[in-house]
Amino acid sequence: MQVLAYWLVRTAIFLGFYAVLWVLNWFDIWAVVLAFILGWAVSYAALPGMRVRAAEQMDGWISRSRRGIESDEAVEDSETKGE
């Protein structure tokens, strides 16, 4: 859930910057690029705790997935050796 919350907050920050640029009548691709850069910078500076929690959650997903793959490899190895 931490990853989803972090993603939603970062997306809201980006959309907020883009809305400000829209109100200022800046509609081209540069508005999207500028909103992306500003949103990234603000979220990087303002959300370090959320970023760490999201990274820990993703690391847990990867570790769980890796353990499953390793256990499958052990089963396959034992089958090929005829054990």
Side-chain angles (χ1 to χ4, degrees):
M1 200 61 159
Q2 296 298 324
V3 174
L4 179 62
Y6 182 61
W7 179 80
L8 288 173
V9 171
R10 288 192 67 180
T11 302
I13 291 170
F14 163 75
L15 291 175
F17 277 115
Y18 188 70
V20 169
L21 294 173
W22 183 274
V23 169
L24 296 174
N25 292 325
W26 212 21
F27 305 120
D28 58 0
I29 189 68
W30 292 110
V32 175
V33 172
L34 183 60
F36 178 79
I37 292 170
L38 291 173
W40 173 81
V42 168
S43 66
Y44 186 80
L47 306 173
M50 285 186 81
R51 183 174 54 253
V52 168
R53 289 189 300 273
E56 288 171 354
Q57 184 180 21
M58 288 182 70
D59 186 46
W61 293 343
I62 293 168
S63 297
R64 230 182 353 249
S65 174
R66 191 172 295 143
R67 281 193 306 265
I69 291 170
E70 290 169 356
S71 69
D72 288 345
E73 288 175 350
V75 170
E76 290 172 359
D77 291 343
S78 67
E79 290 174 353
T80 57
K81 291 179 183 178
E83 294 177 5

